Amino acid sequence: MAQMATLTAKQANEYLNARPKYPTIWYKVLAGRTSNHKVAWDVGTGNGQAALGVADYYEKVVATDINEKQISLAKPHPKVTYLHTPASMSDDDLVAKLGGENSIDLIVAAQSLHYFDLKRFYAIVRRVLRKEGGIIAVWVYNDLVVTPKVDAIMKRLVDSTKPYRTPTMNLAFDGYKAIEFPFKNIRLGTQGRPKALEIPHKLSLDGYLGFFKSWQPLVKAKEQGAELLKPSMINEFKEAWGDQNQVKDVAYRAFMLAGKL
Protein backbone atom coordinates (compact mmCIF):
# COMPACT_ATOMS: atom_id res chain seq x y z
CA MET A 1 0.00 0.00 0.00
CA ALA A 2 2.97 2.34 0.28
CA GLN A 3 6.07 3.34 -1.62
CA MET A 4 8.26 4.65 1.18
CA ALA A 5 10.30 1.65 2.28
CA THR A 6 13.56 2.32 0.46
CA LEU A 7 13.75 6.01 1.29
CA THR A 8 12.98 5.82 4.98
CA ALA A 9 15.03 2.71 5.67
CA LYS A 10 18.16 4.76 4.94
CA GLN A 11 17.16 7.25 7.60
CA ALA A 12 15.32 5.04 10.08
CA ASN A 13 17.44 5.88 13.13
CA GLU A 14 17.35 9.64 12.51
CA TYR A 15 13.60 9.46 11.87
CA LEU A 16 13.02 7.72 15.18
CA ASN A 17 14.87 10.45 17.08
CA ALA A 18 13.55 13.50 15.21
CA ARG A 19 9.84 12.74 14.93
CA PRO A 20 7.59 14.80 17.24
CA LYS A 21 5.20 13.17 19.68
CA TYR A 22 1.54 13.42 18.78
CA PRO A 23 -0.61 14.97 21.53
CA THR A 24 -2.28 12.33 23.71
CA ILE A 25 -5.55 14.26 23.57
CA TRP A 26 -5.85 13.27 19.89
CA TYR A 27 -6.13 9.61 20.82
CA LYS A 28 -8.64 10.37 23.56
CA VAL A 29 -10.84 12.36 21.18
CA LEU A 30 -10.71 9.65 18.51
CA ALA A 31 -11.49 6.92 21.03
CA GLY A 32 -14.49 8.94 22.14
CA ARG A 33 -15.90 8.72 18.60
CA THR A 34 -15.85 4.91 18.30
CA SER A 35 -18.62 2.75 19.72
CA ASN A 36 -16.29 -0.11 20.65
CA HIS A 37 -12.70 -0.23 21.83
CA LYS A 38 -11.60 -3.73 20.94
CA VAL A 39 -9.26 -3.42 17.96
CA ALA A 40 -7.39 -0.55 16.30
CA TRP A 41 -5.19 -0.63 13.21
CA ASP A 42 -2.21 1.71 12.82
CA VAL A 43 -1.30 1.69 9.11
CA GLY A 44 2.23 2.68 8.12
CA THR A 45 3.18 2.56 11.78
CA GLY A 46 6.83 3.52 11.29
CA ASN A 47 8.38 3.64 14.76
CA GLY A 48 5.05 2.70 16.37
CA GLN A 49 4.34 6.05 17.98
CA ALA A 50 0.67 6.26 17.05
CA ALA A 51 0.15 2.58 17.86
CA LEU A 52 1.43 3.14 21.39
CA GLY A 53 -0.85 6.15 21.86
CA VAL A 54 -3.90 4.29 20.59
CA ALA A 55 -3.09 1.32 22.86
CA ASP A 56 -4.19 3.36 25.89
CA TYR A 57 -7.78 3.18 24.64
CA TYR A 58 -8.11 -0.14 22.80
CA GLU A 59 -7.75 -3.75 23.88
CA LYS A 60 -5.59 -4.63 20.89
CA VAL A 61 -3.66 -2.65 18.28
CA VAL A 62 -2.39 -4.13 15.02
CA ALA A 63 0.44 -1.97 13.66
CA THR A 64 1.55 -2.62 10.10
CA ASP A 65 4.29 -1.32 7.83
CA ILE A 66 5.88 -2.39 4.57
CA ASN A 67 9.25 -1.23 5.92
CA GLU A 68 10.78 -4.08 7.90
CA LYS A 69 13.56 -1.83 9.25
CA GLN A 70 11.04 0.55 10.79
CA ILE A 71 9.16 -2.33 12.40
CA SER A 72 12.40 -3.59 13.95
CA LEU A 73 12.89 -0.22 15.66
CA ALA A 74 9.34 0.03 17.02
CA LYS A 75 8.92 -0.03 20.80
CA PRO A 76 7.28 -3.21 22.11
CA HIS A 77 3.96 -2.99 23.95
CA PRO A 78 1.81 -5.81 25.35
CA LYS A 79 -1.27 -4.60 23.46
CA VAL A 80 0.48 -3.92 20.15
CA THR A 81 1.14 -6.55 17.48
CA TYR A 82 3.61 -5.35 14.85
CA LEU A 83 3.29 -6.90 11.39
CA HIS A 84 5.53 -6.53 8.38
CA THR A 85 3.11 -6.29 5.44
CA PRO A 86 5.05 -6.22 2.15
CA ALA A 87 3.34 -4.78 -0.91
CA SER A 88 3.20 -8.31 -2.31
CA MET A 89 0.82 -9.44 0.44
CA SER A 90 -2.66 -10.05 -0.95
CA ASP A 91 -5.62 -8.02 0.27
CA ASP A 92 -7.31 -11.17 1.54
CA ASP A 93 -4.24 -12.13 3.58
CA LEU A 94 -4.02 -8.65 5.06
CA VAL A 95 -7.70 -8.59 5.96
CA ALA A 96 -7.30 -11.97 7.66
CA LYS A 97 -4.26 -10.80 9.65
CA LEU A 98 -6.18 -7.74 10.80
CA GLY A 99 -8.98 -9.90 12.19
CA GLY A 100 -11.39 -10.21 9.31
CA GLU A 101 -14.17 -8.10 7.85
CA ASN A 102 -16.04 -5.52 9.96
CA SER A 103 -13.59 -6.02 12.84
CA ILE A 104 -11.68 -2.74 13.32
CA ASP A 105 -12.99 0.04 15.56
CA LEU A 106 -10.37 2.67 14.72
CA ILE A 107 -7.97 2.99 11.80
CA VAL A 108 -5.18 5.57 12.00
CA ALA A 109 -2.48 6.57 9.52
CA ALA A 110 0.01 9.06 10.91
CA GLN A 111 2.23 10.87 8.42
CA SER A 112 1.78 8.08 5.89
CA LEU A 113 -1.49 8.26 3.90
CA HIS A 114 0.09 10.19 1.03
CA TYR A 115 2.35 7.23 0.28
CA PHE A 116 -0.46 4.70 -0.02
CA ASP A 117 -2.11 3.25 -3.08
CA LEU A 118 -5.35 4.94 -2.08
CA LYS A 119 -7.67 2.88 -4.25
CA ARG A 120 -6.34 -0.34 -2.74
CA PHE A 121 -6.14 1.02 0.80
CA TYR A 122 -9.66 2.42 0.84
CA ALA A 123 -11.04 -0.85 -0.51
CA ILE A 124 -9.45 -2.63 2.46
CA VAL A 125 -10.76 0.02 4.86
CA ARG A 126 -14.29 -0.61 3.63
CA ARG A 127 -13.84 -4.30 4.36
CA VAL A 128 -12.32 -4.15 7.85
CA LEU A 129 -13.71 -0.97 9.43
CA ARG A 130 -16.82 -1.51 11.53
CA LYS A 131 -19.87 -0.33 9.62
CA GLU A 132 -21.43 0.95 12.83
CA GLY A 133 -19.29 2.99 15.20
CA GLY A 134 -15.95 2.62 13.41
CA ILE A 135 -13.85 5.58 12.25
CA ILE A 136 -10.73 6.26 10.23
CA ALA A 137 -8.41 9.17 11.08
CA VAL A 138 -5.29 10.32 9.25
CA TRP A 139 -2.94 13.20 9.84
CA VAL A 140 0.19 14.84 8.51
CA TYR A 141 2.53 17.58 9.69
CA ASN A 142 4.27 19.75 7.14
CA ASP A 143 5.90 22.74 8.80
CA LEU A 144 7.94 23.57 11.88
CA VAL A 145 7.55 26.92 13.60
CA VAL A 146 10.39 28.16 15.83
CA THR A 147 11.05 31.92 15.68
CA PRO A 148 10.61 34.47 12.87
CA LYS A 149 14.35 34.49 12.12
CA VAL A 150 14.69 30.73 12.07
CA ASP A 151 11.43 30.31 10.15
CA ALA A 152 12.59 32.72 7.42
CA ILE A 153 15.64 30.53 6.74
CA MET A 154 13.44 27.46 6.86
CA LYS A 155 11.14 28.96 4.20
CA ARG A 156 14.10 29.44 1.85
CA LEU A 157 15.09 25.83 2.40
CA VAL A 158 11.52 24.60 1.82
CA ASP A 159 11.26 26.62 -1.40
CA SER A 160 14.55 25.14 -2.65
CA THR A 161 13.10 21.62 -2.40
CA LYS A 162 10.28 22.26 -4.92
CA PRO A 163 12.14 20.90 -7.99
CA TYR A 164 12.89 17.66 -6.12
CA ARG A 165 9.51 17.01 -4.54
CA THR A 166 7.30 14.31 -5.96
CA PRO A 167 3.52 14.68 -6.32
CA THR A 168 3.27 12.37 -3.31
CA MET A 169 5.38 14.72 -1.20
CA ASN A 170 3.33 17.69 -2.33
CA LEU A 171 0.18 16.08 -0.91
CA ALA A 172 1.86 16.35 2.49
CA PHE A 173 3.17 19.88 1.89
CA ASP A 174 -0.38 20.90 0.99
CA GLY A 175 -1.66 19.66 4.35
CA TYR A 176 -3.86 16.96 2.78
CA LYS A 177 -6.11 19.60 1.20
CA ALA A 178 -5.91 17.81 -2.15
CA ILE A 179 -5.88 14.18 -1.04
CA GLU A 180 -8.85 11.90 -1.62
CA PHE A 181 -10.74 10.99 1.57
CA PRO A 182 -14.15 9.47 0.70
CA PHE A 183 -15.65 9.10 4.16
CA LYS A 184 -18.55 10.71 5.99
CA ASN A 185 -17.74 13.86 7.92
CA ILE A 186 -17.44 13.58 11.71
CA ARG A 187 -16.23 17.18 12.18
CA LEU A 188 -12.56 16.34 12.64
CA GLY A 189 -11.53 17.35 9.12
CA THR A 190 -13.08 16.19 5.87
CA GLN A 191 -12.02 15.96 2.21
CA GLY A 192 -10.80 19.34 1.01
CA ARG A 193 -11.09 20.83 4.50
CA PRO A 194 -8.59 19.21 6.86
CA LYS A 195 -8.64 20.24 10.51
CA ALA A 196 -5.64 22.44 11.39
CA LEU A 197 -3.80 21.36 14.53
CA GLU A 198 -0.48 21.95 16.26
CA ILE A 199 2.00 19.54 17.79
CA PRO A 200 3.95 21.29 20.59
CA HIS A 201 7.49 20.12 21.00
CA LYS A 202 10.84 21.12 22.49
CA LEU A 203 13.99 21.11 20.38
CA SER A 204 17.62 21.93 20.81
CA LEU A 205 19.56 23.24 17.85
CA ASP A 206 21.04 19.78 17.34
CA GLY A 207 17.53 18.29 17.40
CA TYR A 208 16.30 20.87 14.90
CA LEU A 209 19.14 20.17 12.50
CA GLY A 210 18.59 16.45 13.12
CA PHE A 211 15.06 16.88 11.79
CA PHE A 212 16.54 17.76 8.41
CA LYS A 213 18.65 14.61 8.29
CA SER A 214 15.50 12.53 7.86
CA TRP A 215 13.45 15.12 5.96
CA GLN A 216 12.53 13.33 2.77
CA PRO A 217 12.69 16.27 0.32
CA LEU A 218 16.32 16.82 1.31
CA VAL A 219 17.04 13.10 1.13
CA LYS A 220 15.45 12.95 -2.32
CA ALA A 221 17.45 15.97 -3.52
CA LYS A 222 20.68 14.47 -2.20
CA GLU A 223 19.98 11.25 -4.08
CA GLN A 224 19.84 13.41 -7.22
CA GLY A 225 23.16 15.06 -6.42
CA ALA A 226 21.87 18.27 -4.81
CA GLU A 227 22.99 19.21 -1.30
CA LEU A 228 20.41 21.85 -0.38
CA LEU A 229 21.33 22.22 3.28
CA LYS A 230 24.75 23.76 2.73
CA PRO A 231 27.23 24.56 5.53
CA SER A 232 26.56 28.28 4.99
CA MET A 233 22.84 27.74 5.67
CA ILE A 234 23.60 25.64 8.76
CA ASN A 235 25.65 28.59 10.04
CA GLU A 236 22.68 30.88 9.36
CA PHE A 237 20.46 28.58 11.42
CA LYS A 238 23.00 28.61 14.25
CA GLU A 239 23.19 32.41 14.26
CA ALA A 240 19.40 32.78 14.16
CA TRP A 241 18.96 30.23 16.95
CA GLY A 242 21.11 32.19 19.38
CA ASP A 243 22.36 30.21 22.37
CA GLN A 244 23.15 26.84 20.79
CA ASN A 245 22.48 25.09 24.10
CA GLN A 246 19.00 26.58 24.42
CA VAL A 247 16.02 24.26 24.10
CA LYS A 248 13.18 26.08 22.38
CA ASP A 249 9.42 25.56 22.38
CA VAL A 250 8.45 24.82 18.79
CA ALA A 251 5.28 23.76 17.02
CA TYR A 252 4.70 21.40 14.12
CA ARG A 253 1.71 22.45 11.99
CA ALA A 254 -0.50 19.43 11.48
CA PHE A 255 -3.68 18.58 9.57
CA MET A 256 -6.22 15.83 10.25
CA LEU A 257 -8.95 14.08 8.27
CA ALA A 258 -11.40 11.73 9.96
CA GLY A 259 -14.59 9.98 8.94
CA LYS A 260 -16.83 6.95 9.00
CA LEU A 261 -18.39 4.59 6.46
Side-chain angles (χ1 to χ4, degrees):
M1 275 183 291
Q3 310 160 6
M4 64 187 295
T6 301
L7 190 63
T8 57
K10 296 179 180 178
Q11 305 295 332
N13 289 311
E14 289 91 344
Y15 181 77
L16 177 63
N17 295 327
R19 192 172 187 176
K21 293 182 178 179
Y22 306 124
T24 56
I25 188 63
W26 292 9
Y27 307 121
K28 183 177 181 180
V29 169
L30 293 173
R33 297 298 184 94
T34 66
S35 300
N36 296 291
H37 299 86
K38 294 181 179 179
V39 184
W41 176 25
D42 178 21
V43 198
T45 191
N47 61 30
Q49 183 190 155
L52 298 177
V54 169
D56 286 340
Y57 299 94
Y58 292 83
E59 295 175 15
K60 177 183 177 182
V61 180
V62 182
T64 63
D65 205 295
I66 69 167
N67 188 327
E68 197 167 12
K69 180 64 173 178
Q70 288 280 19
I71 288 284
S72 72
L73 293 172
K75 185 177 179 180
H77 188 285
K79 288 186 179 181
V80 179
T81 299
Y82 292 103
L83 295 177
H84 176 223
T85 53
S88 59
M89 180 179 290
S90 73
D91 292 0
D92 287 344
D93 283 348
L94 179 55
V95 168
K97 288 181 179 296
L98 292 172
E101 311 232 353
N102 197 38
S103 64
I104 305 293
D105 299 304
L106 173 68
I107 297 173
V108 297
Q111 198 73 5
S112 58
L113 181 71
H114 49 291
Y115 292 106
F116 295 174
D117 175 341
L118 293 181
K119 183 178 180 181
R120 183 183 180 194
F121 174 57
Y122 289 151
I124 294 171
V125 169
R126 291 185 183 97
R127 291 177 64 181
V128 301
L129 187 63
R130 287 191 188 276
K131 306 300 187 290
E132 299 292 334
I135 68 168
I136 174 173
V138 304
W139 58 85
V140 66
Y141 58 86
N142 64 359
D143 201 1
L144 179 56
V145 180
V146 184
T147 66
K149 287 184 178 180
V150 173
D151 297 346
I153 303 168
M154 175 66 164
K155 184 179 186 307
R156 283 167 37 214
L157 181 59
V158 168
D159 289 346
S160 74
T161 68
K162 289 180 180 178
Y164 306 97
R165 298 198 312 238
T166 64
T168 293
M169 291 179 186
N170 284 329
L171 289 173
F173 272 89
D174 196 36
Y176 282 179
K177 292 182 182 70
I179 205 164
E180 179 187 3
F181 193 74
F183 301 98
K184 294 178 182 177
N185 188 359
I186 60 170
R187 298 186 178 181
L188 289 174
T190 191
Q191 181 168 313
R193 292 179 287 128
K195 183 177 179 63
L197 300 164
E198 284 194 349
I199 306 173
H201 199 50
K202 292 182 182 294
L203 275 180
S204 64
L205 176 61
D206 285 344
Y208 183 75
L209 296 176
F211 171 81
F212 296 126
K213 291 180 182 179
S214 63
W215 195 38
Q216 292 193 8
L218 292 187
V219 174
K220 196 71 173 178
K222 193 170 185 177
E223 287 181 346
Q224 299 177 49
E227 185 64 73
L228 301 181
L229 184 59
K230 295 179 171 62
S232 59
M233 181 171 280
I234 292 175
N235 288 334
E236 286 186 66
F237 276 123
K238 289 180 178 179
E239 183 177 348
W241 194 273
D243 182 356
Q244 295 186 21
N245 294 317
Q246 184 184 39
V247 175
K248 294 185 182 293
D249 290 311
V250 304
Y252 293 83
R253 288 179 177 153
F255 299 88
M256 179 179 286
L257 298 166
K260 61 184 181 179
L261 296 176

